[in-house]
Amino acid sequence: MSVQDYKQVIDRVLAGDFDEATDEERRQAVERIVQLSAVAAGAVAFQPIPLLDTVLVSPIQIAMVQAIGRIHGHKLDEKSILEMLSTFGASILAQNVILSAAKFVPVFGWLTAVSMAYALTWAIGEVSDYYFREGRGVSSEELRERFQSVYKAKKSEKEASLKEAGSDRLKDRLAQLKEALDAGLLTEEEFEQKRRDILAAV
């Protein structure tokens, strides 16, 4: 799924009317949004440049939280979302430090960053859903504990998936893709789409 496809899904959620939705319908909508957002964050985090992750991942996370809030009947601006993320230890600054540090380990650092971005985004989604479902009256301590628990579980899950797929095989596939781009066999747009497809399948 491309970033544009992801954005279209988010836009549909933000434009939707969930006033009469059942709890199950809301649950399914949130589940879809969190899954899409985590995959999108993991895909864009593969780029090798430290400090660029926040620029790419943050808009995905902010749109995700807005969508989840909308599903539960809340409308939040960006400032409110950033304050909320800080409440349970997922501030943009903290994420920037974590993801950028991983990038300084060649190749495998990028793979670690993918699992971190995926897990951070998933944890933000799950905890945001819990926060809204509980009427926004949950303590900061409980939110932080829940966030850390989900983050660790999803990071381990993603790392196991990457390991099972074989990091060397993944690196070879991406290298072949880059060679095709350099040889003029792919356009920049086709290269980016195929790269995201490979990462999303991991």
Side-chain angles (χ1 to χ4, degrees):
M1 169 172 285
S2 69
V3 173
Q4 183 60 34
D5 291 337
Y6 163 79
K7 185 177 182 302
Q8 288 175 356
V9 172
I10 294 292
D11 287 343
R12 283 199 297 271
V13 171
L14 291 174
D17 183 1
F18 289 86
D19 290 344
E20 303 300 324
T22 65
D23 289 343
E24 179 60 19
E25 287 171 337
R26 289 193 177 94
R27 185 194 67 76
Q28 290 179 359
V30 169
E31 187 177 272
R32 178 69 169 155
I33 290 297
V34 172
Q35 181 181 40
L36 288 172
S37 301
V39 169
V44 300
F46 193 81
Q47 60 77 31
I49 306 172
L51 306 178
L52 184 58
D53 298 285
T54 302
V55 175
L56 300 175
V57 175
S58 296
I60 292 173
Q61 294 173 343
I62 289 170
M64 175 186 67
V65 176
Q66 284 180 320
I68 294 172
R70 179 71 182 82
I71 290 169
H72 288 291
H74 301 285
K75 293 184 179 180
L76 296 91
D77 57 21
E78 184 172 326
K79 180 181 178 183
S80 298
I81 291 172
L82 294 176
E83 290 173 351
M84 191 178 107
L85 296 185
S86 297
T87 299
F88 52 82
S91 70
I92 299 302
L93 176 60
Q95 290 187 64
N96 190 46
V97 171
I98 293 171
L99 292 172
S100 295
K103 289 292 173 67
F104 289 104
V105 180
V107 181
F108 294 105
W110 302 351
L111 298 177
T112 299
V114 169
S115 64
M116 285 180 169
Y118 174 89
L120 283 166
T121 304
W122 196 297
I124 288 170
E126 277 205 20
V127 176
S128 296
D129 179 45
Y130 179 74
Y131 174 77
F132 292 124
R133 279 190 290 108
E134 295 300 313
R136 303 171 70 177
V138 189
S139 70
S140 297
E141 183 178 355
E142 183 179 353
L143 291 173
R144 283 194 294 271
E145 289 177 356
R146 183 175 287 263
F147 174 78
Q148 288 299 325
S149 176
V150 175
Y151 169 69
K152 289 176 182 177
K154 287 299 176 181
K155 183 171 180 290
S156 296
E157 177 185 299
K158 191 63 173 178
E159 286 176 341
S161 174
L162 288 168
K163 190 174 293 184
E164 183 178 345
S167 58
D168 286 341
R169 187 164 64 87
L170 176 62
K171 184 174 67 172
D172 288 343
R173 290 178 68 189
L174 292 169
Q176 291 169 4
L177 197 62
K178 183 65 166 61
E179 289 174 4
L181 174 67
D182 293 341
L185 300 175
L186 294 173
T187 64
E188 286 284 352
E189 184 177 5
E190 290 170 335
F191 169 79
E192 283 299 322
Q193 182 59 59
K194 289 182 181 298
R195 182 177 70 87
R196 292 194 182 97
D197 290 344
I198 290 173
L199 293 173
V202 173

